[in-house]
Amino acid sequence: MKRMQTQLNTRSAEFQANAEHNKRIAAEFRERQRAARFDRPERDVERLRKQNKLLVRERLERLLDPGTPFLELSTLAANMEYGGEVPGAGVVTGIGIVAGREVMINAGDASVKGGAWYPLSVKKTIRALDIAIENRLPVVHLCDSAGGFLPLQAELFADRYYAGRIFRNQSILSKMGVQQVAVVCGHCTAGGAYVPGLSDYNVIVRGTGAIFLAGPPLVKAATGEEVTVEELGGCDMHTSKSGTADYPASSEDEAFAIARDIVGQFKRPQKAQVEWQEPEAPLYPAEDLYGIIPKDIKQQFDIREVIARLVDGSRFHEYQPNYGKTLICGYAHLWGYKIGILANNGVLFNDSALKGAHFIELCNQNRTPLLFLQNITGFMVGREYEQRGITKDGAKMIMAVSCSEVPKFTVIVNGSFGAGNYGMSGRAFDPRFLFMWPQSQISVMGAEQAANTLADVKIRQLARHGKQLTPEEVAAIREPVLTDVKRQSSALYSTSEVWDDGILDPVDTRNALGIAISAALNTPIEEPRYGVFRM
């Protein structure tokens, strides 16, 4: 493949201004991420120390193979909910290496509200198990939870994708033959008891671990029976009498050693066969990405400059370079894996939508995973384009994305607006992983458009009744909408709601995608089949 030639002037004032702006945003993101991972009230840390418990990050250090990467997911989940008091939604999830095997980690963080499950804790856990199902990843559960957060029980109990989905997903994993290990480090109460109960193997720590459908206070209230934690659901009872737990451990260190030994017995998966070659570092430094992305989200840039800093050797074979130029398509390698890239260089016109649909078909034909790099304002609108069939051409691209069988990966590198999000494999189209960059935005339309549209609707409503608004009254309608849409379209809001799998510092994107692609190849690639393409 041909090496890409950069057109960047890294000494230009524009590049330097962009770099300063985006480095500041990335630094703010990294600080938020550090705080979400490590900042805890001293009283909560002391409480766990007195119980002889490790913190969740210390548990991960003992579980994961030393010196191996850990792709943590949704680190800033719930960062804009619950008054900011539930960092990471009280759960740590991610893909790591245990005994040489790729596994999904699902770890309760007992330093956050005793590990209670909030609605977004449940959503984050379900997403982790969805990823395990999609990519046939074994799961290691680190259990330490106070159970569901009762004041919000209506938002986490009854519906299809609420807490019961956790246990449904565990059952589906077992049906698929994808193994799970639970390490019971603390209490597993009520529904939480089913996490170890539905795992293939479980280890329980003597003195701190416990499994029961109702703790001693609730048992007494319900039946009048007085019973201790150990009698009701402790380590020795469950490993010698009930058989609910398999392996007793005298300490957390021993429990993690046992868990690692169990995972070491798992059969290694047969990876799906895709083209691979020796990896090669990009020709251009990843730090340039800060200067490539403009300060103003409405300003365009050449997405090829991003591609050149992600792919092996900055080599890229561009498909149909003279047709549908607002969508860049082509082949590259990333950490050795051959991938097909679809990347926005402007609005999607008829020709670019058709080009994208055809390229997706080609990648399915030759079993090449797809990477979507989103910077999209949507499909082109207007009389001329509707007459040319932009709706049906966009539908062709959406059909191709929806029915694609090869693994899909999406990174929102700047804007993601309107139906362009759909055509470029947004969350609803089941990419195996979807990440965002810190400055990126996602919404039905841009904040300015939304505010102007709603203000215009209000003006016309009042005009029909003979009332004319002053500029001050128009601003009073427009400004609250602008503020709300800006907040709700930010990457921080998206990741807080678990609409993505996490924000990435741009310089970490290549490594994150390498881990994601490797994990995705645990699942066989089926032969492609499509629905009806409207001609």
Side-chain angles (χ1 to χ4, degrees), residues 210-230:
I211 304 168
F212 32 55
L213 296 180
L218 185 54
V219 168
K220 183 176 180 181
T223 69
E225 180 184 13
E226 295 192 8
V227 62
T228 67
V229 167
E230 289 301 314

Side-chain angles (χ1 to χ4, degrees), residues 52-70:
N52 294 318
K53 288 184 178 182
L54 298 172
L55 301 177
V56 69
R57 303 285 163 181
E58 296 169 337
R59 290 170 175 169
L60 291 175
E61 288 175 5
R62 286 157 173 78
L63 177 68
L64 298 169
D65 290 1
T68 58
F70 177 57

Side-chain angles (χ1 to χ4, degrees), residues 145-160:
S145 172
F149 184 66
L150 291 179
L152 298 178
Q153 64 83 26
E155 299 176 41
L156 60 83
F157 174 68
D159 206 356
R160 182 178 184 182

Side-chain angles (χ1 to χ4, degrees), residues 34-49 55 83-87 109-114:
R34 185 208 62 76
R37 286 171 168 165
F38 298 109
D39 287 358
R40 299 292 183 271
E42 190 60 34
R43 66 179 185 278
D44 291 326
V45 175
E46 284 302 311
R47 170 175 52 81
L48 296 177
R49 296 297 188 209
L55 301 177
E85 295 183 355
V86 188
D109 186 350
S111 70
V112 178
K113 307 296 183 181

Side-chain angles (χ1 to χ4, degrees), residues 62-224:
R62 286 157 173 78
L63 177 68
L64 298 169
D65 290 1
T68 58
F70 177 57
L71 177 58
E72 188 173 349
L73 304 173
S74 301
T75 54
L76 296 184
N79 78 91
M80 298 179 76
E81 291 293 328
Y82 319 128
E85 295 183 355
V86 188
V91 183
V92 177
T93 63
I95 298 171
I97 309 297
V98 175
R101 277 80 171 167
E102 292 170 321
V103 301
M104 173 62 73
I105 307 292
N106 169 37
D109 186 350
S111 70
V112 178
K113 307 296 183 181
W117 289 358
Y118 282 69
L120 286 170
S121 315
V122 170
K123 187 175 183 180
K124 181 174 175 178
T125 302
I126 292 169
R127 174 57 186 156
L129 296 180
D130 281 343
I131 291 172
I133 290 170
E134 292 165 353
N135 301 289
R136 301 198 178 201
L137 287 170
V139 182
V140 179
H141 303 274
L142 307 186
C143 306
D144 194 350
S145 172
F149 184 66
L150 291 179
L152 298 178
Q153 64 83 26
E155 299 176 41
L156 60 83
F157 174 68
D159 206 356
R160 182 178 184 182
Y161 289 99
Y162 287 2
R165 194 75 175 187
I166 295 172
F167 316 128
R168 176 266 186 192
N169 278 3
Q170 284 191 264
S171 302
I172 294 299
L173 283 165
S174 186
K175 175 183 176 181
M176 295 169 60
V178 179
Q179 293 170 299
Q180 299 170 77
V181 181
V183 183
V184 181
C185 305
H187 287 191
C188 296
T189 307
Y194 292 113
V195 174
L198 288 166
S199 296
D200 301 274
Y201 303 89
N202 66 59
V203 185
I204 184 169
V205 180
R206 184 177 290 111
T208 58
I211 304 168
F212 32 55
L213 296 180
L218 185 54
V219 168
K220 183 176 180 181
T223 69

